[in-house]
Amino acid sequence: MGIESLLVFIIIGAIAGWLAGLIVKGFGFGLIGNIVVGIVGALIAGWLFPRLGFAVGGGVLAAIIHATIGAVILLVLLKLVKRA
C-alpha cells in the first residue's frame, strides 16, 4: 500500500466517522476517534454487506457511504452496550 492509498484510507475513515457521529446522536470522538470509527465501520460493512447480498458500488463516494453505514452500525451497537 502506497502513501497515497493510506492517506485516502484515513480521509475516508475520518469522513465516515464524522458522518456517523452526526447520524447517531451523542457520539463525537474527535479527529482520531472519527478515523478509527470510520475504519472499523468500513471493516464491519466489508464483512457484513457481502453476506447480506448488498452492494454499494465503486469509487470514493461509495467507499464513504459503505464506511459510514458500517460506522453507524458500530455506534448503535456501542450505544446499546453502554445502556445495558
Side-chain angles (χ1 to χ4, degrees):
M1 179 184 297
I3 190 72
E4 297 89 8
S5 299
L6 185 61
L7 270 173
V8 170
F9 197 67
I10 290 171
I11 290 169
I12 288 174
I15 293 170
W18 174 70
L19 287 172
L22 291 177
I23 293 169
V24 180
K25 301 293 183 199
F27 282 92
F29 295 108
L31 181 62
I32 302 298
N34 286 344
I35 291 171
V36 171
V37 167
I39 291 171
V40 173
L43 293 173
I44 290 171
W47 176 81
L48 184 64
F49 286 179
R51 283 156 181 73
L52 297 176
F54 183 72
V56 177
V60 174
L61 183 60
I64 292 171
I65 293 169
H66 188 257
T68 301
I69 294 170
V72 167
I73 292 169
L74 174 66
L75 292 180
V76 167
L77 289 174
L78 284 175
K79 198 174 202 178
L80 290 174
V81 169
K82 194 174 180 182
R83 277 192 185 167

